[in-house]
Coordinates of all heavy atoms in Angstrom, one line a residue:
M1 N 2.6 23.3 -12.8 CA 1.6 22.4 -12.3 C 2.4 21.4 -11.4 O 3.4 20.9 -11.7 CB 1.0 21.6 -13.5 CG -0.2 20.9 -13.2 SD -1.6 22.1 -13.1 CE -2.9 21.0 -12.6
A2 N 1.8 21.1 -10.2 CA 2.4 20.2 -9.3 C 2.2 18.7 -9.7 O 1.2 18.4 -10.4 CB 1.8 20.3 -7.9
D13 N 9.4 -2.5 11.0 CA 10.3 -3.6 10.6 C 10.5 -3.5 9.1 O 9.7 -3.8 8.3 CB 9.7 -4.9 11.0 CG 10.6 -6.1 10.7 OD1 11.3 -6.1 9.7 OD2 10.6 -7.0 11.6
I18 N 9.1 -4.5 3.4 CA 9.6 -4.7 2.1 C 9.0 -6.1 1.5 O 8.6 -6.1 0.4 CB 11.1 -4.6 2.0 CG1 11.5 -3.2 2.2 CG2 11.6 -5.1 0.6 CD1 13.0 -3.0 2.4
D19 N 9.1 -7.1 2.3 CA 8.5 -8.4 1.9 C 7.0 -8.3 1.6 O 6.6 -8.8 0.5 CB 8.7 -9.4 3.0 CG 8.1 -10.8 2.7 OD1 8.6 -11.4 1.7 OD2 7.1 -11.2 3.4
R23 N 5.7 -8.8 -2.3 CA 4.8 -9.9 -2.6 C 3.4 -9.5 -2.9 O 2.8 -10.0 -3.9 CB 4.8 -10.9 -1.4 CG 6.1 -11.6 -1.2 CD 6.0 -12.8 -0.2 NE 5.4 -12.4 1.1 CZ 4.5 -13.2 1.7 NH1 4.1 -14.4 1.2 NH2 4.0 -12.9 2.9
A24 N 2.9 -8.5 -2.2 CA 1.5 -8.1 -2.5 C 1.4 -7.3 -3.8 O 0.4 -7.5 -4.5 CB 1.0 -7.3 -1.3
G26 N 4.2 -6.2 -6.0 CA 5.3 -6.3 -7.0 C 6.2 -5.0 -6.9 O 6.9 -4.7 -7.9
I29 N 12.7 -2.0 -4.7 CA 13.4 -0.9 -4.1 C 14.0 0.0 -5.2 O 14.8 -0.6 -6.0 CB 14.5 -1.4 -3.1 CG1 13.8 -2.1 -1.9 CG2 15.3 -0.2 -2.6 CD1 14.8 -2.8 -1.0
L33 N 18.2 5.1 1.4 CA 19.1 6.2 2.0 C 19.1 6.0 3.5 O 18.1 6.0 4.2 CB 18.5 7.6 1.7 CG 18.2 7.9 0.2 CD1 17.6 9.2 0.1 CD2 19.5 7.8 -0.6
A45 N 6.8 0.6 -8.6 CA 6.2 -0.4 -9.4 C 6.9 -0.3 -10.8 O 7.2 0.8 -11.3 CB 4.7 -0.3 -9.6
G47 N 7.4 0.4 -14.4 CA 6.6 1.3 -15.3 C 5.9 2.5 -14.7 O 5.3 3.3 -15.3
S49 N 5.8 5.8 -11.8 CA 6.6 7.0 -11.4 C 6.3 7.4 -9.9 O 7.1 8.1 -9.3 CB 6.5 8.1 -12.3 OG 5.2 8.6 -12.3
F50 N 5.1 7.0 -9.4 CA 4.8 7.4 -8.1 C 5.4 6.4 -7.1 O 5.3 5.1 -7.3 CB 3.3 7.4 -7.9 CG 2.8 7.9 -6.6 CD1 2.6 9.3 -6.4 CD2 2.5 7.1 -5.6 CE1 2.2 9.8 -5.2 CE2 2.0 7.6 -4.3 CZ 1.9 8.9 -4.2
Y64 N 3.6 2.2 15.6 CA 3.0 3.6 15.5 C 1.5 3.6 15.8 O 0.8 2.7 15.3 CB 3.3 4.2 14.1 CG 4.8 4.5 13.9 CD1 5.6 3.5 13.3 CD2 5.3 5.6 14.4 CE1 7.0 3.8 13.1 CE2 6.7 5.9 14.2 CZ 7.5 5.0 13.6 OH 8.8 5.3 13.4
A74 N -4.4 3.4 -2.4 CA -5.3 2.6 -3.3 C -4.5 2.3 -4.6 O -3.6 3.1 -5.0 CB -6.5 3.4 -3.7
L90 N -1.1 -16.3 -0.7 CA 0.1 -15.9 0.0 C 0.0 -15.8 1.5 O 0.9 -15.5 2.2 CB 0.6 -14.5 -0.6 CG 1.1 -14.5 -2.0 CD1 1.4 -13.1 -2.5 CD2 2.4 -15.3 -2.1
L92 N -1.9 -13.4 3.0 CA -1.9 -12.0 3.4 C -3.2 -11.5 3.8 O -3.4 -10.3 4.1 CB -1.3 -11.2 2.2 CG 0.1 -11.5 1.8 CD1 0.6 -10.6 0.7 CD2 1.1 -11.3 3.0
L97 N -14.6 -9.0 -0.7 CA -14.9 -8.2 -1.9 C -16.1 -7.4 -1.8 O -17.1 -7.9 -1.2 CB -15.0 -9.2 -3.1 CG -13.8 -9.9 -3.5 CD1 -14.1 -11.2 -4.4 CD2 -12.9 -9.0 -4.3
F100 N -19.4 -1.6 -4.6 CA -19.7 -0.3 -4.1 C -20.6 0.4 -5.1 O -20.3 0.5 -6.3 CB -18.5 0.5 -3.9 CG -18.7 1.8 -3.2 CD1 -19.4 1.9 -1.9 CD2 -18.2 3.0 -3.7 CE1 -19.5 3.1 -1.3 CE2 -18.3 4.2 -3.0 CZ -19.0 4.3 -1.8
F111 N -11.5 -4.5 -2.5 CA -11.3 -5.0 -1.2 C -10.1 -4.3 -0.6 O -9.4 -3.6 -1.2 CB -11.0 -6.6 -1.3 CG -9.8 -7.0 -2.0 CD1 -8.5 -7.0 -1.3 CD2 -9.8 -7.3 -3.3 CE1 -7.4 -7.4 -2.0 CE2 -8.6 -7.7 -4.0 CZ -7.4 -7.7 -3.3
D117 N 2.1 -2.9 9.4 CA 2.0 -1.9 10.4 C 0.6 -1.4 10.6 O 0.3 -0.4 11.3 CB 2.9 -0.7 10.0 CG 4.4 -1.1 10.1 OD1 4.9 -1.0 11.3 OD2 5.0 -1.6 9.2
I121 N -4.7 -0.8 2.5 CA -4.5 -0.5 1.0 C -5.8 -1.0 0.3 O -6.2 -2.2 0.5 CB -3.3 -1.3 0.5 CG1 -2.0 -0.8 1.2 CG2 -3.2 -1.1 -1.0 CD1 -1.5 -1.7 2.2
G128 N -13.8 2.4 -15.4 CA -14.5 3.6 -15.0 C -13.5 4.7 -14.6 O -12.6 5.0 -15.3

Side-chain angles (χ1 to χ4, degrees):
M1 196 78 182
D13 184 319
I18 290 171
D19 177 66
R23 291 190 311 136
I29 297 174
L33 306 173
S49 63
F50 188 84
Y64 290 94
L90 288 172
L92 297 178
L97 292 161
F100 186 54
F111 64 86
D117 290 276
I121 299 104

